[in-house]
Amino acid sequence: MLLGAPLLLLAFSSVRAATVVAPAAQATQHITLDIVNGPVSPDGFTRIGVLANGTFPGPPIVATKGQTLVVTVNNKLTDPTMRRSTTLDFDGVFFNSANVFDEGSPFVTNCPFGPGESYTYSKYFSDCLFSGDQTGSFWYHSQLSVQYADGLRGTLIIYDPEDPLQHLYDVDDASTVPDWHHNSSVAGLASYIQTQVIPVADTGLFNAKGRYNGGPDVEFAAVSVTKGKRYRFRLINMSIRANFLVSIDNPDAHNLTDIVIETDGVATVPNTVDVLTIFPGQRYSIVAPIRRPDSEHSIDAVIDSGNPAHNLNLNATLSRGILRYEGAPNAEPKTPMTSGPTGPGTVALDEANLVPLVAEAAPEPDFNLTFNTFMPVGITTWQINNSSYIPPTVPTLVRVLQGQTQQMDFNQSENTFVFPANKTVQVTIIDAADEGHPFHLHGMNFWVVKPNSTDVVNTRNPIRRDVAITGLNDLVVRFRTDKPGPWFFHCHIFYHFAVGLGSVIGAGLDEAAKTIHPTEAWERLCPNYDALPPDEQ
């Protein structure tokens, strides 16, 4: 169903499940990312982007369970029309509170760093993997404003040589479905603030390739598949705004059974579906067995990026990849582009049906918190409980280390909610406008005890993940405050986040002030950032 182009992830494209251990030779792997301005044209329209090592997506980061990764980021940005500072977030990868300062959340756990500066996310992964229990599909991106819309995003896969579901697949690969904008993120955000019309993407991409109305016939991303093989496709939505409806055209010709086996890095009881919707920040692994050697067919990744009348370049059905059988000619599918399967019998992914492979009951809450989300008429701000998140000038963690650990120490505009350590918090998110906000929690998973697709509360074996979608029905999640520190909890539609749809969970801040010991490099970040001229921030 979902496949990865070899050009995207050479490091582990077409890897046999029995040998999915790369790279295993080194206990520590050093990675360098040079953040540069350079030309990029995934849909044939060339623009200047913000790129890791000059590519879009950035180079894949690949690790094996228990391995230590040290990521050095060099800021070499020069284009004055875009943000020239930056900071990276590694979505879904957790770590203990001792190095929350490397978490990459600007104005919560750190300050961005400007052009000509470097920062090393050392011990980030070794600390998060000290217990050796986190594997799966993740990604990295700029967390500064909406900068990652300019291209600063890439995949991060942590393989498990003893994957308990490994018997279900033969080949392990990865796929991305990012939206793409021809205008820069700075221009897009300025337009949004002025008009209240959120930017609509020009193109939906499948593995960094796609087409737009009137644009060139860019070759669709393709991968060779072989009869009799079972393919694990890791689908990662790296969009700034769009969700994608993913399916395969003419599935009867393939006689496929598409099985969800991973949700945001959590191994999942196999769940058979025909089509799934994936929202920004979410990740799923799907297994698709290839049983018949038919001609080419497309993987349809229909993009939903808002009202297409706001951008006539967007054609939702031009988001597709090619499933090409071994030995077949280099040709496009003859079947028409569709919006995916519909009608009686079609099985769509329902979050309420996702069950973790290792069941874990959700603990009873010690605290209850309600988020009412809305945008006032005529003002481009999103609010939680009548307050838009405005980043403080001094990051939350800096102030925590200075002794500001109580609720009264934070302004209302910071949307910071302080709870004692080692408690359970239940958050009910009310989305009366049915905007479909993908809420993402940094630093930990939450239990989705009531997805918005149902009124049933499941505390016995709910799915654990770090991004869940709101809707007309309330979304209810629970998490533990057993990792002391401040953690972002925000909408992963970054245009929404940039105008206020964010909050900070202060978990055991008294404990955090005692146990967190930053490095000298971290302590230099804010003074250096504050000294930058405004056009370099």
Side-chain angles (χ1 to χ4, degrees):
M1 177 179 175
L2 313 172
L3 32 146
L7 289 176
L8 176 65
L9 290 172
L10 287 171
F12 57 95
S13 180
S14 300
V15 177
R16 291 279 305 196
T19 58
V20 177
V21 295
Q26 299 174 323
T28 300
Q29 184 182 177
H30 294 269
I31 294 172
T32 299
L33 299 178
D34 292 333
I35 311 305
V36 301
N37 295 118
V40 59
S41 54
D43 60 359
F45 178 91
T46 301
R47 56 159 293 192
I48 299 300
V50 176
L51 310 173
N53 290 3
T55 67
F56 170 76
I61 297 176
V62 183
T64 301
K65 181 178 180 179
Q67 188 178 43
T68 297
L69 293 175
V70 178
V71 182
T72 297
V73 181
N74 301 315
N75 185 343
K76 299 184 177 181
L77 296 173
T78 58
D79 192 322
T81 67
M82 289 182 272
R83 294 294 293 264
R84 283 191 275 178
S85 289
T86 195
T87 183
L88 283 192
D89 176 47
F90 299 84
D91 257 25
V93 180
F94 310 142
F95 43 89
N96 65 27
S97 61
N99 72 325
V100 63
F101 56 88
D102 270 349
E103 204 266 342
S105 299
F107 310 110
V108 175
T109 59
N110 63 9
C111 282
F113 53 100
E117 295 187 68
S118 300
Y119 189 75
T120 297
Y121 295 87
S122 60
K123 294 188 178 180
Y124 184 102
F125 299 98
S126 60
D127 279 346
C128 83
L129 294 175
F130 75 98
S131 62
D133 63 355
Q134 193 176 17
T135 60
S137 307
F138 311 99
W139 63 300
Y140 64 90
H141 62 83
S142 169
Q143 184 79 24
L144 181 62
S145 184
V146 290
Q147 186 182 55
Y148 86 74
D150 294 317
L152 183 44
R153 31 190 160 160
T155 58
L156 191 165
I157 308 297
I158 305 174
Y159 286 112
D160 183 358
E162 299 177 350
D163 181 0
L165 294 173
Q166 187 170 287
H167 63 283
L168 294 176
Y169 58 93
D170 304 298
V171 181
D172 195 337
D173 214 334
S175 305
T176 60
V177 283
D179 51 14
W180 187 248
H181 296 257
H182 292 171
N183 290 329
S184 77
S185 64
V186 170
L189 182 57
S191 173
Y192 180 38
I193 292 173
Q194 181 179 8
T195 66
Q196 281 201 308
V197 176
I198 190 169
V200 171
D202 292 274
T203 314
L205 306 178
F206 188 88
N207 283 348
K209 291 184 179 293
R211 298 176 184 175
Y212 63 95
N213 285 328
D217 289 340
V218 172
E219 185 175 352
F220 292 117
V223 67
S224 177
V225 295
T226 303
K227 177 185 176 181
K229 299 286 188 181
R230 300 165 301 170
Y231 288 77
R232 174 178 182 164
F233 300 125
R234 299 171 184 262
L235 183 68
I236 302 171
N237 188 339
M238 300 196 302
S239 294
I240 196 80
R241 186 257 176 108
N243 53 276
F244 285 79
L245 185 71
V246 183
S247 63
I248 196 167
D249 76 336
N250 194 12
D252 289 339
H254 298 273
N255 194 23
L256 293 179
T257 300
D258 307 311
I259 308 169
V260 179
I261 63 167
E262 180 207 356
T263 302
D264 293 359
V266 175
T268 304
V269 173
N271 187 335
T272 302
V273 301
D274 299 313
V275 60
L276 64 84
T277 301
I278 181 168
F279 296 87
Q282 291 186 329
R283 295 91 62 200
Y284 291 108
S285 280
I286 306 294
V287 174
I290 306 300
R291 296 194 176 106
R292 294 175 55 184
D294 294 88
S295 59
E296 294 83 355
H297 290 271
S298 69
I299 307 95
D300 297 318
V302 179
I303 182 174
D304 180 4
S305 182
N307 187 347
H310 292 149
N311 190 340
L312 299 182
N313 282 342
L314 182 65
N315 184 329
T317 62
L318 289 178
S319 304
R320 63 180 348 198
I322 296 177
L323 194 158
R324 180 167 291 140
Y325 290 88
E326 192 173 34
N330 185 8
E332 292 188 9
K334 300 294 191 295
T335 54
M337 300 181 186
T338 72
S339 296
T342 58
T346 299
V347 179
L349 179 67
D350 184 343
E351 192 170 40
N353 294 332
L354 295 172
V355 177
L357 188 64
V358 178
E360 186 177 287
E364 288 301 304
D366 300 295
F367 297 93
N368 288 279
L369 181 63
T370 298
F371 283 179
N372 282 284
T373 67
F374 69 99
M375 173 179 278
V377 176
I379 305 174
T380 310
T381 59
W382 274 99
Q383 298 185 358
I384 294 175
N385 300 348
N386 300 311
S387 178
S388 291
Y389 175 77
I390 299 175
T393 55
V394 179
T396 309
L397 181 57
V398 172
R399 289 151 55 209
V400 168
L401 297 179
Q402 293 171 345
Q404 299 180 37
T405 61
Q406 305 303 311
Q407 186 72 55
M408 68 184 69
D409 294 324
F410 302 97
N411 294 328
Q412 182 180 353
S413 61
E414 295 178 67
N415 282 359
T416 296
F417 303 91
V418 179
F419 301 99
N422 301 312
K423 300 296 182 180
T424 301
V425 179
Q426 176 169 295
V427 183
T428 300
I429 305 177
I430 300 172
D431 177 12
D434 193 21
E435 289 282 341
H437 300 294
F439 263 83
H440 169 52
L441 179 61
H442 287 217
M444 66 198 82
N445 279 328
F446 44 62
W447 292 271
V448 185
V449 297
K450 196 190 82 62
N452 84 78
S453 62
T454 181
D455 290 325
V456 177
V457 174
N458 173 17
T459 61
R460 183 175 60 87
N461 62 350
I463 193 64
R464 303 184 300 275
R465 64 186 315 170
D466 59 80
V467 186
I469 190 72
T470 68
L472 280 177
N473 291 321
D474 298 346
L475 169 68
V476 183
V477 302
R478 294 179 188 175
F479 56 83
R480 293 283 294 169
T481 60
D482 51 6
K483 292 184 178 180
W487 306 102
F488 250 154
F489 189 28
H490 62 83
C491 177
H492 220 300
I493 297 174
F494 261 46
Y495 281 108
H496 289 174
F497 176 39
V499 296
L501 196 51
S503 66
V504 176
I505 300 299
L509 297 185
D510 287 327
E511 182 70 17
K514 300 173 185 176
T515 58
I516 296 173
H517 304 291
T519 63
E520 292 183 5
W522 178 85
E523 291 179 331
R524 290 194 297 268
L525 285 174
C526 286
N528 290 350
Y529 180 79
D530 292 339
L532 290 173
D535 68 323
E536 293 188 9
Q537 290 187 339

